[in-house]
Amino acid sequence: MIARLFSGFAVPAGSALAVAGLAAVAALTMPALPEAARLALRAILVLVWAAYAVQLGAGWPASEGKTARIIDILAVAVPPFGLVMARGGADPSILCGVWAVKLLRDLPAFRLVLRVAGNEARNLFGVLALFALILFAASLLAYLLEGAAQPEAFGSVPRAMWWAVTTLTTTGYGDAIPHSTLGRMLAGLVMMCGIGVFALMAGILATGFAEELRRQDFSRVWQLVAGVPLFAGLPHRDLAEIVRALKPRRLAPGAVICRKGQPGNEMYFILEGRVQVASASPVELGSGDYFGEMALVSGEPRFATVVAATPVSLLALHISDFQTLIERDSTLADTIRHTAEERRRSPTPGS
Ligand code: CMP
């Protein structure tokens, strides 16, 4: 019971504590800090550690999963080793830096990065292999061209590798510079290769992120669409088409969704909340209902104004996708046309 009560804010509270703890760790590395401030910062570290220990002992889950549990254990188990370090004269607070992992774990963006890295592992590995190959070739050539003249920087392939890395990544610290013309030509080539490799890496990651977000969106909309009664009997192939076409919308109460007399290019499925069709005797539609079909079926302007009566969650279907859908499924087309006709026959809505 208590665990359930606390699990709701265990993650944000855990992250806030980690931020406070890490800020204290960073501040404690400043040599000119007054002793009183140092004591206060150490007290913060002890409090954060104690909070994590209580959380772990009481079994309040800060996050789901085995890895999350291991991180919770590490957050409590690692800092006390600082006391052992302190005997050797080292700063004991530095081990509290392990709390950064807690923050990282609870960051949704980090989970996304891990998933993208997992999905794109093969391609990323390919680019890394290419990077390693160019690095080796560049180091070898730099050793041959510059090794005799500058043994400090280029005297062996491993030594030349430092120059190759800083050049390939276009960092260029300037501590190792080829002097010969051929060496400089090689440097130019390596820089261009570096730009190419990183462009390739950025391309792979950008595509990976876009695909992962699209996949997440697809499964979220799939779950929503499965709950719409009109689509209940559709085969999976058609359902997948609709999922790609439908766009989720959230609207605040009072928002006008469509206005009488205006052209219509979308129809809507209500997932949650209620909308009001303005008329002399207003009609309310709720979860599972749809509206905005009349303009799409007839090609005429909107028959009525529809306003969100509560916070409402909708799925919008564009006219082009609507046409594809009704061409493909005649039962669905008949149901929608029948509803449109019935609504047209009911008392004329006002503005
Ligand atoms: P459309 O004319 O495209 O835009 C306004 C929508 O309100 C309309 O499609 C119908 O979906 C809906 N609507 C109009 N009249 C009624 C009614 N009497 N009952 C329920 N919905 C209606």
Side-chain angles (χ1 to χ4, degrees):
M1 171 68 185
I2 295 177
R4 222 179 311 137
L5 205 72
F6 279 88
S7 63
F9 66 89
V11 172
S15 300
L17 286 174
V19 170
L22 293 175
V25 169
L28 278 164
T29 59
M30 298 193 300
L33 207 65
E35 201 45 40
R38 203 169 281 282
L39 271 175
L41 290 170
R42 289 219 169 100
I44 291 177
L45 291 184
V46 171
L47 284 177
V48 173
W49 181 84
Y52 284 157
V54 170
Q55 181 194 39
L56 187 70
W60 298 328
S63 235
E64 300 283 308
K66 208 165 147 193
T67 321
R69 188 83 184 148
I70 292 173
I71 289 174
D72 283 344
I73 293 171
L74 284 178
V76 175
V78 171
F81 285 103
L83 300 174
V84 182
M85 278 172 62
R87 278 198 215 136
D91 183 355
S93 64
I94 210 78
L95 286 188
C96 296
V98 73
W99 295 337
V101 192
K102 247 174 153 9
L103 265 187
L104 207 60
R105 175 201 65 191
D106 294 332
L107 218 61
F110 179 64
R111 265 173 265 153
L112 181 66
V113 170
L114 281 186
R115 250 197 310 274
V116 171
N119 295 343
E120 298 296 328
R122 255 174 81 102
N123 294 334
L124 290 175
F125 183 75
V127 178
L128 283 178
L130 187 67
F131 182 91
L133 215 71
I134 298 173
L135 182 78
F136 182 79
S139 313
L140 194 71
L141 287 173
Y143 161 71
L144 291 174
L145 295 172
E146 299 284 331
Q150 299 188 68
E152 265 305 304
F154 298 95
S156 67
V157 171
R159 269 191 200 178
M161 264 184 189
W162 172 245
W163 165 83
V165 170
T166 55
T167 309
L168 199 51
T169 55
T170 66
T171 307
Y173 287 123
D175 55 344
I177 306 163
H179 290 157
S180 67
T181 309
L182 277 178
R184 291 188 173 197
M185 282 168 71
L186 173 69
L189 193 71
V190 172
M191 283 176 220
M192 283 191 280
C193 285
I195 294 170
V197 167
F198 284 106
L200 212 60
M201 185 89 91
I204 291 171
L205 286 176
T207 316
F209 272 105
E211 262 180 21
E212 182 59 28
L213 291 176
R214 196 186 51 76
R215 226 174 280 139
Q216 285 182 6
D217 231 30
F218 186 88
S219 66
R220 186 170 58 95
V221 180
W222 181 285
Q223 279 166 11
L224 301 177
V225 169
V228 175
L230 187 69
F231 302 138
L234 282 186
H236 272 198
R237 197 172 54 93
D238 291 358
L239 208 58
E241 286 290 317
I242 296 173
V243 169
R244 269 185 216 108
L246 288 168
K247 302 278 170 287
R249 300 256 166 87
R250 292 193 74 84
L251 294 154
V256 177
I257 303 161
C258 55
R259 208 177 282 279
K260 183 179 178 176
Q262 289 192 342
N265 60 2
E266 278 182 339
M267 71 171 288
Y268 308 91
F269 299 88
I270 306 174
L271 295 171
E272 257 184 87
R274 304 192 68 74
V275 301
Q276 193 173 70
V277 182
S279 72
S281 49
V283 182
E284 276 216 342
L285 302 174
S287 166
D289 290 331
Y290 56 90
F291 63 94
E293 79 295 349
M294 289 171 71
L296 305 198
V297 167
S298 66
E300 290 171 6
R302 293 287 190 201
F303 194 65
T305 296
V306 183
V307 178
T310 63
V312 70
S313 167
L314 304 171
L315 290 171
L317 183 68
H318 192 262
I319 186 163
S320 53
D321 299 309
F322 168 81
Q323 266 147 8
T324 318
L325 180 66
I326 57 171
E327 271 164 27
R328 183 176 291 180
D329 196 308
S330 60
T331 324
L332 200 84
D334 288 346
T335 313
I336 294 179
R337 280 200 195 98
H338 179 71
T339 310
E341 275 159 29
E342 270 196 347
R343 285 176 175 174
R344 189 176 292 280
R345 277 198 296 271
S346 69
T348 317
S351 60

